[in-house]
Amino acid sequence: MAAPEGSGLGEDARLDQETAQWLRWDKNSLTLEAVKRLIAEGNKEELRKCFGARMEFGTAGLRAAMGPGISRMNDLTIIQTTQGFCRYLEKQFSDLKQKGIVISFDARAHPSSGGSSRRFARLAATTFISQGIPVYLFSDITPTPFVPFTVSHLKLCAGIMITASHNPKQDNGYKVYWDNGAQIISPHDKGISQAIEENLEPWPQAWDDSLIDSSPLLHNPSASINNDYFEDLKKYCFHRSVNRETKVKFVHTSVHGVGHSFVQSAFKAFDLVPPEAVPEQKDPDPEFPTVKYPNPEEGKGVLTLSFALADKTKARIVLANDPDADRLAVAEKQDSGEWRVFSGNELGALLGWWLFTSWKEKNQDRSALKDTYMLSSTVSSKILRAIALKEGFHFEETLTGFKWMGNRAKQLIDQGKTVLFAFEEAIGYMCCPFVLDKDGVSAAVISAELASFLATKNLSLSQQLKAIYVDDPEQLKKELNELVSAIEEHFFQPQKYNLQPKAD
């Protein structure tokens, strides 16, 4: 491994410098002793893994394994990251000390290094409060969508969510949201990254998280945001009377994450009977004991317990959230007895069509269509474009990634437009969290919308999906060809890697 350009240091000298600095600054006894032990053992291979390169702060923030060293998520790297983020925000917002930020966290924990999402969130809050900046710190675990909602709802400058989403159990992450409620995009990532490098040494009060407990700058938004979020969801409920009478049964799994109460409350907001929860996966557990990977994108393997409960309770639909509850997987039992797990593109077609149908029933004035939009990413299905051409609303593509979609949606909303829906295929069984009006809401309302569809229409999801596509078979063929081309361009990148098409 080469030393950084211009450093004048060889690999071993740089490693010695990084570890010596770590020993001066780290006050977490578990990670500190782990590094001392590796040094005493002369374990250069493991030291290089821990100190080979600092985690790179990008538009998705940070995500890495928990453990000691600058390449891992731990108390010290959280402090360093937050100090940089704090200094960057101070330059960007003159009213930061009046407005403040929001911080929340999921249930992840790593006992061997003493790291946990809750611990990281408290240290991040300490950084801001030590600089006189108000912090809205949730007192307990929340779904990720509560953070962007709080940023928009309380008109804050930024938000931080400590989560690694659906990554393996040893990982954690640091998601950052801007004042528009969407994840950051360039050039903010580069500016934050530079500010982190300029603020590596912990500030005097950095490790004393007890100071926040008595600080007037600390606010707990848990009760008010939980209430306001689900009150806001109610405006998306178009068929309340039908919902009250439906006999359709659902099973839901939060895959040991934070989604159980989230989805239960969303169903209640829509006057639906809440889904039956998979008992083995209902409560948060950082060990994720029943799944190899806590990711509904893995498909049927993650949903085995859900299928068993659904068969037992005679439920037709299985809903699954990833552990931070900002994405959704859906499966439906077919007449054959088999379970069909829908792809993200299929859910995008179903939900886009259903949300527009429901919206149109409440908005008879066709002139409103000129300010109505749906979005999808460049590598996703173009079915919404076909529906838009037929119905008269606008359709736009964004770069791949929810951050791009979220920022574009927020731009349109700021211009007075209505953004009904947006989705990303996401290489699996996932559906984008955005259903946007003034504020972003996510998988909770999507779950409830699916329930409303089934309560209202005498069709299965599979039947309705077939009806949507068969309505325009030529468009389907064109869409498939465009999707193949987009995958070639964005995933294989033939120009960048000088790839040539295979001869026939």
Side-chain angles (χ1 to χ4, degrees):
M1 182 187 297
E5 186 177 345
S7 68
L9 296 174
E11 180 184 4
D12 288 345
R14 192 193 62 81
L15 193 62
D16 290 344
Q17 184 185 68
E18 290 284 2
T19 54
Q21 196 173 70
W22 185 271
L23 297 179
R24 289 197 305 273
W25 290 346
D26 188 17
K27 293 187 179 181
N28 177 316
S29 60
L30 293 173
T31 48
L32 181 62
E33 291 304 318
V35 173
K36 286 181 178 178
R37 186 168 56 251
L38 292 174
I39 293 171
E41 294 169 352
N43 191 340
K44 290 291 182 70
E45 182 179 353
E46 190 60 30
L47 284 169
R48 289 189 188 100
K49 290 179 183 178
C50 296
F51 293 93
R54 179 169 293 278
M55 290 178 292
E56 184 175 347
F57 194 97
T59 55
L62 297 174
R63 197 171 292 184
M66 289 179 274
I70 63 174
S71 65
R72 308 278 173 84
M73 297 287 292
N74 51 64
D75 288 0
L76 180 53
T77 54
I78 287 291
I79 288 170
Q80 293 171 327
T81 299
T82 310
Q83 289 179 170
F85 186 38
C86 179
R87 288 290 180 255
Y88 185 75
L89 289 175
E90 287 173 337
K91 292 178 181 178
Q92 299 293 317
F93 297 100
S94 61
D95 54 358
L96 179 62
K97 290 187 177 181
Q98 286 73 50
K99 290 185 174 181
I101 70 159
V102 59
I103 301 175
S104 195
F105 52 95
D106 67 11
R108 287 178 179 259
H110 191 246
S112 64
S113 68
S116 72
S117 296
R118 182 186 295 271
R119 167 74 174 159
F120 295 161
R122 283 183 60 84
L123 288 171
T126 301
T127 297
F128 281 97
I129 286 175
S130 74
Q131 303 303 297
I133 297 163
V135 173
Y136 292 80
L137 174 65
F138 282 88
S139 58
D140 204 353
I141 57 174
T142 72
T144 288
F146 273 20
V147 170
F149 177 83
T150 304
V151 171
S152 298
H153 194 60
L154 300 183
K155 296 179 171 54
L156 307 180
C157 293
I160 298 168
M161 179 68 189
I162 307 295
T163 179
S165 190
H166 48 270
N167 273 37
K169 67 179 184 179
Q170 68 270 16
D171 288 359
N172 216 323
Y174 189 106
K175 289 184 180 179
V176 170
Y177 296 84
W178 208 239
D179 68 333
N180 64 354
Q183 281 184 263
I184 61 164
I185 55 176
S186 295
H188 294 312
D189 56 331
K190 296 178 180 63
I192 295 168
S193 183
Q194 181 179 339
I196 292 169
E197 293 289 345
E198 294 168 354
N199 291 276
L200 294 177
E201 183 172 357
W203 298 339
Q205 295 176 298
W207 291 92
D208 186 11
D209 66 312
S210 65
L211 72 86
I212 69 174
D213 294 323
S214 59
S215 173
L217 296 173
L218 182 71
H219 308 281
N220 176 12
S222 299
S224 62
I225 291 299
N226 191 71
N227 177 74
D228 293 349
Y229 187 94
F230 292 107
E231 279 298 311
D232 254 25
L233 283 194
K234 291 179 181 179
K235 67 188 176 189
Y236 296 95
C237 182
F238 299 110
H239 305 280
R240 192 169 298 279
S241 60
V242 179
N243 292 351
R244 294 191 188 107
E245 304 300 324
T246 182
K247 304 299 181 186
V248 180
K249 292 183 178 180
F250 292 79
V251 159
H252 172 253
T253 177
S254 53
V255 195
H256 303 293
V258 302
H260 172 67
S261 61
F262 189 43
V263 170
Q264 295 279 309
S265 296
F267 269 64
K268 290 174 184 175
F270 271 51
D271 278 354
L272 289 157
V273 175
E276 189 86 17
V278 176
E280 301 93 331
Q281 298 175 332
K282 176 173 72 71
D283 297 322
D285 188 335
E287 292 299 314
F288 302 107
T290 67
V291 291
K292 186 175 181 180
Y293 300 108
N295 185 0
E297 203 170 343
E298 297 291 324
K300 293 185 177 181
V302 178
L303 302 177
T304 301
L305 292 172
S306 301
F307 295 155
L309 180 60
D311 289 338
K312 180 180 177 181
T313 60
K314 300 191 180 337
R316 281 176 51 194
I317 304 292
V318 163
L319 306 172
N321 290 128
D322 62 344
D324 69 326
D326 67 351
R327 295 190 181 191
L328 177 72
V330 180
E332 180 182 60
K333 192 163 191 178
Q334 306 298 290
D335 292 339
S336 65
E338 294 293 311
W339 283 94
R340 176 178 181 176
V341 184
F342 293 95
S343 72
N345 280 330
E346 290 171 329
L347 286 178
L350 281 165
L351 286 162
W353 171 84
W354 173 243
L355 285 163
F356 179 74
T357 300
S358 298
W359 178 86
K360 187 167 63 172
E361 289 176 6
K362 298 292 183 181
N363 295 270
Q364 298 295 323
D365 183 3
R366 298 286 293 179
S367 66
L369 289 171
K370 67 181 175 61
D371 290 325
T372 303
Y373 286 75
M374 291 196 193
L375 311 174
S376 73
S377 71
T378 55
V379 295
S380 301
S381 165
K382 305 301 182 289
I383 187 64
L384 294 186
R385 181 169 65 188
I387 297 172
L389 288 170
K390 181 177 179 180
E391 299 288 353
F393 61 86
H394 297 276
F395 169 78
E396 282 191 15
E397 288 184 349
T398 72
L399 295 174
T400 302
F402 293 160
K403 54 184 173 287
W404 299 104
M405 203 172 291
N407 275 277
R408 180 54 184 153
K410 293 293 187 181
Q411 287 173 359
L412 290 167
I413 290 165
D414 289 344
Q415 296 166 16
K417 313 298 184 184
T418 296
V419 180
L420 285 178
F421 182 62
F423 83 98
E424 183 172 57
E425 180 269 349
I427 324 301
Y429 310 123
M430 310 313 300
C431 187
C432 173
F434 298 110
V435 182
L436 293 164
D437 185 20
K438 291 182 180 177
D439 298 300
V441 296
S442 70
V445 73
I446 289 174
S447 303
E449 283 292 357
L450 283 170
S452 268
F453 164 77
L454 291 163
T456 307
K457 300 291 182 180
N458 190 28
L459 287 173
S460 69
L461 296 177
S462 298
Q463 288 169 329
Q464 182 56 55
L465 185 64
K466 183 178 180 182
I468 293 169
Y469 277 95
V470 171
D471 186 52
D472 192 350
E474 286 304 312
Q475 176 60 34
L476 175 59
K477 183 187 294 185
K478 181 181 177 184
E479 177 188 327
L480 289 172
N481 289 335
E482 288 179 349
L483 183 57
V484 169
S485 297
I487 289 172
E488 286 181 0
E489 178 183 351
H490 293 280
F491 289 119
F492 295 110
Q493 300 180 62
Q495 290 184 335
K496 180 177 180 179
Y497 296 108
N498 196 28
L499 300 178
Q500 300 297 323
K502 186 176 180 181
D504 292 334

Short mmCIF file of all heavy atoms in Angstrom, two decimals, residues 403-441:
data_model
loop_
_atom_site.label_atom_id
_atom_site.label_comp_id
_atom_site.label_asym_id
_atom_site.label_seq_id
_atom_site.Cartn_x
_atom_site.Cartn_y
_atom_site.Cartn_z
N LYS A 403 -31.40 9.13 -3.24
CA LYS A 403 -31.02 10.52 -2.94
C LYS A 403 -31.32 11.43 -4.12
O LYS A 403 -31.78 12.56 -3.94
CB LYS A 403 -29.55 10.60 -2.55
CG LYS A 403 -28.59 10.00 -3.56
CD LYS A 403 -27.17 10.02 -3.06
CE LYS A 403 -26.22 9.26 -3.98
NZ LYS A 403 -26.40 7.80 -3.90
N TRP A 404 -31.06 10.94 -5.34
CA TRP A 404 -31.34 11.76 -6.53
C TRP A 404 -32.84 11.91 -6.71
O TRP A 404 -33.33 12.98 -7.05
CB TRP A 404 -30.71 11.11 -7.76
CG TRP A 404 -29.22 11.01 -7.66
CD1 TRP A 404 -28.49 9.88 -7.41
CD2 TRP A 404 -28.28 12.08 -7.76
NE1 TRP A 404 -27.16 10.18 -7.35
CE2 TRP A 404 -26.98 11.52 -7.57
CE3 TRP A 404 -28.39 13.44 -8.01
CZ2 TRP A 404 -25.83 12.29 -7.62
CZ3 TRP A 404 -27.25 14.21 -8.06
CH2 TRP A 404 -25.98 13.64 -7.86
N MET A 405 -33.55 10.83 -6.50
CA MET A 405 -34.99 10.86 -6.63
C MET A 405 -35.61 11.80 -5.60
O MET A 405 -36.50 12.60 -5.89
CB MET A 405 -35.53 9.44 -6.44
CG MET A 405 -36.88 9.18 -7.06
SD MET A 405 -37.24 7.42 -6.93
CE MET A 405 -36.06 6.75 -8.07
N GLY A 406 -35.12 11.70 -4.36
CA GLY A 406 -35.65 12.54 -3.30
C GLY A 406 -35.39 14.01 -3.55
O GLY A 406 -36.27 14.85 -3.35
N ASN A 407 -34.18 14.35 -4.01
CA ASN A 407 -33.87 15.75 -4.28
C ASN A 407 -34.70 16.30 -5.43
O ASN A 407 -35.18 17.44 -5.37
CB ASN A 407 -32.37 15.90 -4.57
CG ASN A 407 -31.55 16.05 -3.31
OD1 ASN A 407 -31.43 17.14 -2.76
ND2 ASN A 407 -30.99 14.95 -2.83
N ARG A 408 -34.89 15.50 -6.47
CA ARG A 408 -35.71 15.98 -7.59
C ARG A 408 -37.16 16.14 -7.15
O ARG A 408 -37.83 17.12 -7.51
CB ARG A 408 -35.62 15.01 -8.77
CG ARG A 408 -36.46 15.43 -9.98
CD ARG A 408 -36.12 16.85 -10.43
NE ARG A 408 -36.97 17.30 -11.53
CZ ARG A 408 -37.24 18.57 -11.76
NH1 ARG A 408 -36.76 19.52 -10.98
NH2 ARG A 408 -38.01 18.91 -12.78
N ALA A 409 -37.66 15.20 -6.37
CA ALA A 409 -39.04 15.31 -5.87
C ALA A 409 -39.21 16.57 -5.04
O ALA A 409 -40.20 17.30 -5.17
CB ALA A 409 -39.39 14.07 -5.06
N LYS A 410 -38.23 16.84 -4.17
CA LYS A 410 -38.32 18.03 -3.33
C LYS A 410 -38.27 19.31 -4.16
O LYS A 410 -38.96 20.29 -3.86
CB LYS A 410 -37.18 18.03 -2.30
CG LYS A 410 -37.29 16.93 -1.25
CD LYS A 410 -38.48 17.14 -0.34
CE LYS A 410 -38.47 16.13 0.80
NZ LYS A 410 -39.63 16.30 1.69
N GLN A 411 -37.46 19.32 -5.23
CA GLN A 411 -37.41 20.49 -6.11
C GLN A 411 -38.79 20.75 -6.73
O GLN A 411 -39.26 21.90 -6.77
CB GLN A 411 -36.39 20.26 -7.23
CG GLN A 411 -34.94 20.32 -6.80
CD GLN A 411 -34.01 19.93 -7.92
OE1 GLN A 411 -34.43 19.58 -9.03
NE2 GLN A 411 -32.71 19.97 -7.65
N LEU A 412 -39.42 19.69 -7.19
CA LEU A 412 -40.73 19.84 -7.81
C LEU A 412 -41.76 20.33 -6.80
O LEU A 412 -42.58 21.20 -7.11
CB LEU A 412 -41.17 18.50 -8.42
CG LEU A 412 -40.39 18.05 -9.66
CD1 LEU A 412 -40.70 16.59 -9.98
CD2 LEU A 412 -40.73 18.94 -10.85
N ILE A 413 -41.71 19.78 -5.59
CA ILE A 413 -42.65 20.19 -4.55
C ILE A 413 -42.46 21.65 -4.20
O ILE A 413 -43.43 22.40 -4.02
CB ILE A 413 -42.51 19.28 -3.31
CG1 ILE A 413 -43.03 17.88 -3.65
CG2 ILE A 413 -43.25 19.85 -2.11
CD1 ILE A 413 -42.61 16.83 -2.66
N ASP A 414 -41.20 22.09 -4.13
CA ASP A 414 -40.91 23.50 -3.84
C ASP A 414 -41.44 24.42 -4.94
O ASP A 414 -41.69 25.61 -4.70
CB ASP A 414 -39.41 23.71 -3.67
CG ASP A 414 -38.88 23.11 -2.38
OD1 ASP A 414 -39.69 22.79 -1.48
OD2 ASP A 414 -37.64 22.93 -2.27
N GLN A 415 -41.59 23.87 -6.14
CA GLN A 415 -42.15 24.64 -7.25
C GLN A 415 -43.68 24.59 -7.29
O GLN A 415 -44.31 25.10 -8.22
CB GLN A 415 -41.60 24.11 -8.57
CG GLN A 415 -40.10 24.29 -8.75
CD GLN A 415 -39.54 23.46 -9.90
OE1 GLN A 415 -40.28 22.99 -10.77
NE2 GLN A 415 -38.22 23.29 -9.91
N GLY A 416 -44.27 23.97 -6.27
CA GLY A 416 -45.73 23.88 -6.21
C GLY A 416 -46.33 22.70 -6.95
O GLY A 416 -47.55 22.65 -7.16
N LYS A 417 -45.48 21.74 -7.35
CA LYS A 417 -45.97 20.57 -8.07
C LYS A 417 -46.39 19.47 -7.08
O LYS A 417 -46.01 19.49 -5.91
CB LYS A 417 -44.89 20.00 -9.00
CG LYS A 417 -44.18 21.04 -9.85
CD LYS A 417 -45.11 21.76 -10.81
CE LYS A 417 -44.32 22.71 -11.72
NZ LYS A 417 -45.21 23.52 -12.60
N THR A 418 -47.15 18.52 -7.57
CA THR A 418 -47.53 17.34 -6.78
C THR A 418 -46.74 16.14 -7.29
O THR A 418 -46.77 15.84 -8.49
CB THR A 418 -49.04 17.05 -6.91
OG1 THR A 418 -49.77 18.14 -6.35
CG2 THR A 418 -49.41 15.78 -6.16
N VAL A 419 -46.01 15.49 -6.41
CA VAL A 419 -45.28 14.28 -6.77
C VAL A 419 -46.01 13.10 -6.13
O VAL A 419 -45.93 12.89 -4.92
CB VAL A 419 -43.81 14.34 -6.30
CG1 VAL A 419 -43.07 13.06 -6.70
CG2 VAL A 419 -43.11 15.56 -6.88
N LEU A 420 -46.73 12.35 -6.94
CA LEU A 420 -47.55 11.26 -6.40
C LEU A 420 -46.73 10.07 -5.95
O LEU A 420 -47.03 9.44 -4.94
CB LEU A 420 -48.56 10.80 -7.46
CG LEU A 420 -49.75 11.71 -7.72
CD1 LEU A 420 -50.61 11.11 -8.81
CD2 LEU A 420 -50.58 11.91 -6.45
N PHE A 421 -45.68 9.74 -6.71
CA PHE A 421 -44.99 8.48 -6.45
C PHE A 421 -43.65 8.47 -7.16
O PHE A 421 -43.47 9.13 -8.18
CB PHE A 421 -45.86 7.33 -6.95
CG PHE A 421 -45.29 5.96 -6.70
CD1 PHE A 421 -45.08 5.50 -5.41
CD2 PHE A 421 -44.98 5.11 -7.74
CE1 PHE A 421 -44.56 4.24 -5.17
CE2 PHE A 421 -44.45 3.84 -7.52
CZ PHE A 421 -44.25 3.41 -6.22
N ALA A 422 -42.71 7.72 -6.59
CA ALA A 422 -41.42 7.49 -7.23
C ALA A 422 -40.90 6.14 -6.78
O ALA A 422 -41.15 5.73 -5.66
CB ALA A 422 -40.43 8.59 -6.85
N PHE A 423 -40.20 5.44 -7.67
CA PHE A 423 -39.69 4.13 -7.26
C PHE A 423 -38.40 3.81 -7.97
O PHE A 423 -38.06 4.38 -9.00
CB PHE A 423 -40.73 3.03 -7.53
CG PHE A 423 -40.73 2.52 -8.94
CD1 PHE A 423 -40.06 1.35 -9.27
CD2 PHE A 423 -41.42 3.19 -9.94
CE1 PHE A 423 -40.06 0.87 -10.57
CE2 PHE A 423 -41.43 2.71 -11.24
CZ PHE A 423 -40.75 1.55 -11.56
N GLU A 424 -37.68 2.86 -7.35
CA GLU A 424 -36.44 2.37 -7.94
C GLU A 424 -36.45 0.85 -7.92
O GLU A 424 -36.84 0.23 -6.93
CB GLU A 424 -35.23 2.89 -7.17
CG GLU A 424 -33.92 2.45 -7.79
CD GLU A 424 -32.73 3.14 -7.13
OE1 GLU A 424 -32.58 3.03 -5.92
OE2 GLU A 424 -31.98 3.79 -7.86
N GLU A 425 -36.01 0.26 -9.00
CA GLU A 425 -36.01 -1.20 -9.13
C GLU A 425 -35.10 -1.85 -8.09
O GLU A 425 -35.45 -2.88 -7.52
CB GLU A 425 -35.58 -1.57 -10.55
CG GLU A 425 -35.53 -3.07 -10.84
CD GLU A 425 -34.16 -3.65 -10.57
OE1 GLU A 425 -33.22 -2.87 -10.36
OE2 GLU A 425 -34.04 -4.87 -10.54
N ALA A 426 -33.95 -1.27 -7.87
CA ALA A 426 -33.04 -1.67 -6.78
C ALA A 426 -32.57 -3.12 -6.84
O ALA A 426 -32.24 -3.71 -5.83
CB ALA A 426 -33.68 -1.40 -5.42
N ILE A 427 -32.53 -3.71 -8.01
CA ILE A 427 -31.97 -5.05 -8.24
C ILE A 427 -32.61 -6.10 -7.33
O ILE A 427 -31.96 -7.02 -6.86
CB ILE A 427 -30.43 -5.09 -8.00
CG1 ILE A 427 -29.79 -3.80 -8.46
CG2 ILE A 427 -29.80 -6.25 -8.78
CD1 ILE A 427 -29.98 -3.45 -9.89
N GLY A 428 -33.85 -5.97 -7.04
CA GLY A 428 -34.45 -6.99 -6.17
C GLY A 428 -35.89 -6.69 -5.88
O GLY A 428 -36.60 -6.12 -6.69
N TYR A 429 -36.32 -7.08 -4.72
CA TYR A 429 -37.72 -7.02 -4.37
C TYR A 429 -38.02 -5.79 -3.52
O TYR A 429 -38.64 -5.89 -2.47
CB TYR A 429 -38.11 -8.29 -3.60
CG TYR A 429 -37.66 -9.54 -4.31
CD1 TYR A 429 -36.83 -10.46 -3.69
CD2 TYR A 429 -38.06 -9.78 -5.61
CE1 TYR A 429 -36.42 -11.60 -4.36
CE2 TYR A 429 -37.65 -10.91 -6.28
CZ TYR A 429 -36.82 -11.82 -5.65
OH TYR A 429 -36.41 -12.93 -6.30
N MET A 430 -37.54 -4.66 -3.96
CA MET A 430 -37.66 -3.47 -3.14
C MET A 430 -38.49 -2.41 -3.84
O MET A 430 -38.51 -2.33 -5.05
CB MET A 430 -36.29 -2.88 -2.81
CG MET A 430 -35.30 -3.89 -2.27
SD MET A 430 -35.94 -4.94 -0.98
CE MET A 430 -36.37 -3.76 0.24
N CYS A 431 -39.14 -1.61 -3.05
CA CYS A 431 -39.91 -0.50 -3.59
C CYS A 431 -39.45 0.78 -2.92
O CYS A 431 -39.24 0.81 -1.72
CB CYS A 431 -41.39 -0.72 -3.35
SG CYS A 431 -42.41 0.49 -4.17
N CYS A 432 -39.31 1.82 -3.71
CA CYS A 432 -38.80 3.10 -3.18
C CYS A 432 -39.69 3.64 -2.07
O CYS A 432 -40.90 3.49 -2.11
CB CYS A 432 -38.75 4.10 -4.33
SG CYS A 432 -38.35 5.75 -3.80
N PRO A 433 -39.10 4.30 -1.07
CA PRO A 433 -39.88 4.80 0.05
C PRO A 433 -40.68 6.06 -0.22
O PRO A 433 -41.42 6.50 0.64
CB PRO A 433 -38.81 5.09 1.12
CG PRO A 433 -37.58 5.35 0.36
CD PRO A 433 -37.66 4.43 -0.82
N PHE A 434 -40.57 6.65 -1.41
CA PHE A 434 -41.19 7.95 -1.57
C PHE A 434 -42.64 7.88 -2.03
O PHE A 434 -42.97 7.30 -3.04
CB PHE A 434 -40.41 8.78 -2.59
CG PHE A 434 -39.01 9.05 -2.16
CD1 PHE A 434 -37.95 8.46 -2.80
CD2 PHE A 434 -38.77 9.87 -1.07
CE1 PHE A 434 -36.66 8.69 -2.39
CE2 PHE A 434 -37.47 10.11 -0.66
CZ PHE A 434 -36.42 9.52 -1.31
N VAL A 435 -43.53 8.45 -1.25
CA VAL A 435 -44.85 8.85 -1.69
C VAL A 435 -44.95 10.27 -1.16
O VAL A 435 -45.05 10.49 0.04
CB VAL A 435 -45.96 7.98 -1.09
CG1 VAL A 435 -47.30 8.43 -1.62
CG2 VAL A 435 -45.72 6.53 -1.42
N LEU A 436 -44.86 11.25 -2.03
CA LEU A 436 -44.57 12.60 -1.59
C LEU A 436 -45.69 13.58 -1.92
O LEU A 436 -46.24 13.58 -3.01
CB LEU A 436 -43.29 13.09 -2.27
CG LEU A 436 -42.01 12.37 -1.85
CD1 LEU A 436 -40.92 12.68 -2.85
CD2 LEU A 436 -41.59 12.79 -0.48
N ASP A 437 -46.01 14.41 -0.95
CA ASP A 437 -46.83 15.59 -1.19
C ASP A 437 -46.03 16.77 -0.67
O ASP A 437 -45.11 17.24 -1.31
CB ASP A 437 -48.17 15.44 -0.49
CG ASP A 437 -49.12 16.58 -0.80
OD1 ASP A 437 -48.90 17.26 -1.81
OD2 ASP A 437 -50.05 16.80 -0.02
N LYS A 438 -46.28 17.22 0.55
CA LYS A 438 -45.42 18.25 1.14
C LYS A 438 -44.24 17.63 1.86
O LYS A 438 -43.16 18.19 1.91
CB LYS A 438 -46.23 19.11 2.11
CG LYS A 438 -47.27 20.00 1.42
CD LYS A 438 -48.00 20.85 2.44
CE LYS A 438 -49.03 21.73 1.77
NZ LYS A 438 -49.81 22.52 2.76
N ASP A 439 -44.45 16.47 2.44
CA ASP A 439 -43.39 15.80 3.20
C ASP A 439 -43.27 14.36 2.71
O ASP A 439 -44.22 13.77 2.22
CB ASP A 439 -43.71 15.79 4.70
CG ASP A 439 -43.78 17.20 5.25
OD1 ASP A 439 -42.78 17.91 5.15
OD2 ASP A 439 -44.85 17.58 5.76
N GLY A 440 -42.10 13.79 2.86
CA GLY A 440 -41.88 12.41 2.43
C GLY A 440 -42.45 11.42 3.42
O GLY A 440 -42.25 11.55 4.61
N VAL A 441 -43.17 10.46 2.94
CA VAL A 441 -43.58 9.32 3.76
C VAL A 441 -43.13 8.07 3.04
O VAL A 441 -42.73 8.11 1.90
CB VAL A 441 -45.10 9.30 4.01
CG1 VAL A 441 -45.52 10.52 4.80
CG2 VAL A 441 -45.88 9.25 2.72
#
